[in-house]
Amino acid sequence: MKKILIALIAVMFVFVACENNNSILEPNTTSSIKPNVLLTNENPLYEIMSIALEDTTFIQLKYSKKLTVDGNKGGKIKLEYKYKSKENKLVKLDAVLTIPKNAYKGELTFDMIFDLENYGLKFEPHPFTFDIPVILDLKFSNIDLSGFDLNNFVFDYLDGESEHLPYDKIKYDLEKGDLEILGAQIPHFSRYGWTRVK
């Protein structure tokens, strides 16, 4: 009888734990944040989603956001996120993903998964190729750039041979700890980030 009672309690514990969506390993960063969706006067087909989040209580290595955009209309997604680095510095991430009109057909739900340790990101689902490349602006502020020889690094595709991504500009400020890529043309979803020039 005692064994049955213990087994019943164990089953109830597992059931309650599975019902709880909050994880102590991964913070729930989306529960109270809802994107602002605005239509601009310049282009009523453009959706601008502005999301500002802050997490300064713990160190984590990844931050992700699930988004849905209609590829026929296009859109512009703006993300801001603050977190503490391993060096106990408050780091700010700013990202803008511009999806041109007719970049793909219909609605697409995708994830942007930011690598907060190596200053890159991964798009899911992959592989997914665009009819027109999407444009990425990505900036990390207040990071430790002492280990980087920025003359030997470039922002590129990381899951295979270099694609020599076209971009408008790379900017960095060693004193402020700013690292930024502007106008990177992303032809397909995969993993992108800083890599040594090959």
Side-chain angles (χ1 to χ4, degrees):
M1 179 70 173
K2 194 173 187 181
K3 289 181 182 178
I4 293 174
L5 184 58
I6 290 172
L8 183 59
I9 291 171
V11 168
M12 286 177 37
F13 178 78
V14 169
F15 178 77
V16 170
C18 289
E19 286 292 309
N20 186 359
N21 288 332
N22 294 329
S23 169
I24 60 171
L25 298 177
E26 289 188 19
N28 185 353
T29 59
T30 59
S31 61
S32 62
I33 306 297
K34 292 194 170 119
N36 273 334
V37 179
L38 305 169
L39 295 178
T40 65
N41 293 333
E42 299 83 25
N43 184 353
L45 296 177
Y46 251 68
E47 289 182 3
I48 299 178
M49 298 181 186
S50 298
I51 302 167
L53 300 171
E54 182 168 348
D55 184 0
T56 58
T57 57
F58 51 83
I59 298 166
Q60 62 182 47
L61 301 178
K62 293 192 177 176
Y63 162 65
S64 66
K65 189 69 189 164
K66 185 177 285 300
L67 302 154
T68 301
V69 176
D70 186 334
N72 299 323
K73 294 179 181 179
K76 183 177 277 191
I77 298 157
K78 295 181 180 180
L79 296 171
E80 295 177 5
Y81 186 66
K82 293 180 183 174
Y83 64 98
K84 276 195 180 174
S85 68
K86 290 189 294 188
E87 295 82 21
N88 205 28
K89 293 171 125 185
L90 183 61
V91 176
K92 185 179 179 201
L93 155 70
D94 291 288
V96 177
L97 184 69
T98 303
I99 300 170
K101 185 178 177 181
N102 297 319
Y104 53 88
K105 292 174 179 54
E107 284 194 347
L108 175 67
T109 298
F110 60 94
D111 293 293
M112 293 177 73
I113 305 162
F114 295 90
D115 181 340
L116 304 179
E117 187 174 26
N118 299 304
Y119 316 119
L121 78 159
K122 179 168 70 168
F123 294 96
E124 294 281 352
H126 77 277
F128 182 87
T129 302
F130 299 104
D131 298 329
I132 302 170
V134 300
I135 307 300
L136 174 69
D137 297 335
L138 179 62
K139 180 179 181 181
F140 286 88
S141 302
N142 201 30
I143 62 175
D144 181 6
L145 292 174
S146 60
F148 281 83
D149 177 1
L150 292 165
N151 294 319
N152 292 323
F153 276 82
V154 68
F155 191 85
D156 206 350
Y157 171 62
L158 298 179
D159 284 340
E161 290 297 314
S162 170
E163 295 191 355
H164 303 288
L165 292 180
Y167 60 86
D168 293 338
K169 193 178 221 181
I170 289 177
K171 293 168 60 176
Y172 57 89
D173 184 321
L174 295 176
E175 285 185 22
K176 291 182 179 177
D178 292 348
L179 183 61
E180 184 174 14
I181 181 80
L182 295 169
Q185 296 183 29
I186 307 294
H188 55 82
F189 278 170
S190 192
R191 193 166 62 98
Y192 297 89
W194 299 96
T195 183
R196 284 186 174 80
V197 176
K198 298 172 185 174

